[in-house]
């Protein structure tokens, strides 16, 4: 088994909602055991305020996060690339694991609509953690 820290990149169009929530959950739940990045093919100016509020309800503060542009280098240096509605904007490199999570876009929606998206992302991130960091005796 490799001792290297796995690297995950979450990508959505604006890097203002889904990918920010996923990155925040993975960072929070793994506490440095996974290198986490997020980016957008067309980054917004700021993170969706309803997303910030929804994450605050989960005990995670992402108010200081800033949407980042997707770079080829970010993809190249990641072990797992998880797209969330960015289509063909994400470059493909051999040897990388690509997942596409079909999730509603929280853009333009309030807190009530964002909560179920947040909860689905948390469920998927927890499943990803179980794959990336199997419990002792399970790997």
């Amino acid at each position: 088994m490799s001792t290297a820290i796995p690297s995950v990149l979450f990508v959505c169009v604006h890097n203002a909602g889904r990918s920010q929530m996923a990155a925040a959950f993975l960072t929070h739940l793994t506490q440095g055991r996974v290198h986490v990045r997020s980016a957008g093919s067309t980054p917004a100016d700021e993170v969706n305020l309803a997303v910030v509020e929804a994450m605050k309800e989960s005990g995670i503060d992402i108010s200081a996060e800033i949407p980042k542009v997707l770079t080829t280098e970010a993809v190249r240096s990641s072990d797992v690339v998880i797209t969330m509605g960015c289509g063909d904007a994400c470059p493909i490199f051999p040897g990388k694991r690509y997942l596409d999570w079909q999730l509603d876009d929280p853009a333009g929606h309030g807190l009530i609509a964002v909560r179920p998206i947040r909860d689905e992302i948390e469920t998927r991130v927890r499943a990803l953690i179980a794959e990336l960091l199997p419990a002792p005796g399970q790997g």
Side-chain angles (χ1 to χ4, degrees), residues 17-88:
R18 296 165 290 188
S19 56
Q20 289 282 352
M21 288 190 282
F25 274 124
L26 187 56
T27 299
H28 178 76
L29 295 169
T30 61
Q31 301 178 353
R33 294 178 296 151
V34 175
H35 185 73
V36 184
R37 295 180 191 86
S38 71
S41 51
T42 310
D45 292 330
E46 61 186 14
V47 175
N48 180 322
L49 295 178
V51 166
V52 171
E53 191 61 33
M55 292 303 290
K56 195 176 291 180
E57 290 179 349
S58 292
I60 301 172
D61 182 7
I62 63 168
S63 61
E65 293 297 325
I66 299 168
K68 295 164 278 307
V69 68
L70 176 63
T71 65
T72 301
E73 183 51 39
V75 177
R76 184 178 287 125
S77 59
S78 298
D79 299 313
V80 180
V81 179
I82 299 174
T83 57
M84 304 171 176
C86 70
D88 298 330

